[in-house]
Amino acid sequence: MTQSTTNVAEPLADGDRVDSATETFIAHRNLLFTVAYEMLGSAADAEDALQETWLRWAGVDLGTVRDRRAYLVRITTRQALKRLRDLGRRKESYVGPWLPEPLLTTPDVAEDVELADSVSMAMLLVLETLTPTERAVFVLREVFDLGYHEIAEAVDKSPTAVRQIAHRARAHVSARRPREVVSAAETRSALEAFQRAVETGDLRNLLNILAPDVVLLTDGGGVVRAALRPIVGAGRVADVLGRVSAATSLQPAQINGYPALTIRLDGEIDTVLAVRIDDGLITGLYAVRNPEKLSRVEREIALRR
């Protein structure tokens, strides 16, 4: 991202400048939120990063900015990087497994297969294994297709270094991501079978759709009851799911671009359950129960690339 040194013929008046800055920010807000969320895995922290982005953007001389979208992405990336490092320290003291904050996404997110894959719970967990800079570079390059020079300015590295980081991050993610992008239809089919098995207590059918080495992660954040360690193996996972209360209600939802389930108790969302599927079987179950992470599954969130 470069800045133009060309002077405007008639500088904007203060009121016009503020209006123009506001319009530009609003026009790109969904994109900026998506950048921050993919880097942080937390909508609350993404919103804070956007607030800081706005405060900095509001003070920029717009006459010196050649590409406003790129400039805003750069500011957002830097704010997200700061928060990502702080978030890493917070996770060290987190009670039990940490899972990304689930989002109830708009239907168009699912239609953009690459975007849906990039914000899926499974992918966000893979991104958690990258360093902050690797994660920023991977997201900006692989998801948003930014050039190496633009990314270099955002992460304060040379373009050559960014190329090396991108190559390393890409290899790291490829080794850990789901083997293939699973369609929404396949995910929905697996979830429907899963839901029927849980609701009817049909252990045999439940075992048929769980991979032998399936992993269940439950995030209660130390606030509500949840397993403090991953639960591994189809038998153990089925045993836990078999104890789901008959008083609960399982309902389909579009979470992070893919079909998922919400579990309601007395009408209130108690758990969001997302899945990872490999070779037609459920290999990962991600149950978010921390109430602080469930506030955004009652209203749709628009994500953009």
Side-chain angles (χ1 to χ4, degrees):
M1 283 169 287
T2 57
Q3 294 185 354
S4 170
T5 57
T6 303
N7 294 324
V8 293
E10 295 183 7
L12 293 172
D14 287 346
D16 292 337
R17 187 191 65 75
V18 171
D19 288 345
S20 182
T22 301
E23 289 174 3
T24 301
F25 185 82
I26 291 174
H28 296 300
R29 192 186 190 285
N30 290 340
L31 162 71
L32 302 177
F33 176 84
T34 307
V35 171
Y37 176 71
E38 290 209 28
M39 287 181 59
L40 297 165
S42 163
D45 285 292
E47 291 286 1
D48 288 344
L50 258 62
Q51 180 65 27
E52 292 297 326
T53 297
W54 164 248
L55 292 175
R56 283 157 177 75
W57 174 246
V60 170
D61 179 359
L62 300 184
T64 67
V65 179
R66 179 178 297 161
D67 185 338
R68 295 185 181 186
R69 176 183 181 276
Y71 198 101
L72 280 165
V73 169
R74 183 175 73 183
I75 299 174
T76 300
T77 299
R78 289 180 173 177
Q79 296 308 312
L81 269 173
K82 291 179 183 177
R83 290 192 170 272
L84 189 56
R85 295 180 177 110
D86 291 338
L87 191 60
R89 288 190 286 271
R90 273 188 274 156
K91 289 174 188 172
E92 292 174 1
S93 58
Y94 198 80
V95 178
W98 183 95
L99 290 174
E101 182 178 349
L103 302 180
L104 180 66
T105 46
T106 53
D108 59 318
V109 175
E111 295 169 5
D112 185 339
V113 176
E114 291 184 0
L115 176 60
D117 179 56
S118 72
V119 297
S120 68
M121 296 290 278
M123 176 57 77
L124 290 177
L125 281 174
V126 171
L127 295 182
E128 284 292 311
T129 64
L130 298 173
T131 67
T133 301
E134 286 174 342
R135 185 165 182 170
V137 169
F138 181 87
V139 167
L140 295 178
R141 181 63 183 170
E142 299 299 316
V143 182
F144 297 96
D145 199 29
L146 265 64
Y148 290 113
H149 281 81
E150 289 180 299
I151 300 173
E153 291 191 14
V155 300
D156 292 323
K157 301 285 185 182
S158 71
T160 299
V162 166
R163 284 180 181 274
Q164 294 171 344
I165 294 169
H167 177 75
R168 185 167 65 244
R170 194 179 302 115
H172 183 96
V173 170
S174 295
R176 291 163 177 79
R177 73 189 307 170
R179 285 182 282 276
E180 60 184 17
V181 177
V182 177
S183 69
E186 186 176 354
T187 303
R188 189 177 299 109
S189 177
L191 275 171
E192 288 173 352
F194 173 88
Q195 182 177 351
R196 286 194 301 271
V198 171
E199 288 178 336
T200 61
D202 190 335
L203 183 62
R204 177 175 296 178
N205 278 339
L206 185 56
L207 289 171
N208 285 341
I209 59 176
L210 297 177
D213 56 351
V214 62
V215 178
L216 168 62
L217 298 176
T218 57
D219 179 347
V223 180
V224 297
R225 186 177 179 181
L228 298 180
R229 297 180 183 83
I231 298 170
V232 183
R236 294 185 63 200
V237 169
D239 182 58
V240 171
L241 295 173
R243 297 198 295 267
V244 172
S245 171
T248 60
S249 170
L250 278 67
Q251 299 176 354
Q254 193 77 7
I255 300 295
N256 289 54
Y258 276 93
L261 293 173
T262 59
I263 301 176
R264 291 180 179 266
L265 184 61
D266 298 327
E268 299 293 328
I269 291 182
D270 176 82
T271 305
V272 169
L273 188 66
V275 299
R276 167 174 171 164
I277 297 174
D278 290 284
D279 299 326
L281 295 175
I282 296 175
T283 58
L285 285 158
Y286 314 117
V288 182
R289 304 201 64 227
N290 185 345
E292 295 177 359
K293 295 184 178 183
L294 298 179
S295 63
R296 289 172 176 78
V297 291
E298 294 284 12
R299 59 184 178 87
E300 290 184 338
I301 301 292
L303 302 177
R304 294 289 183 272
R305 283 200 296 165

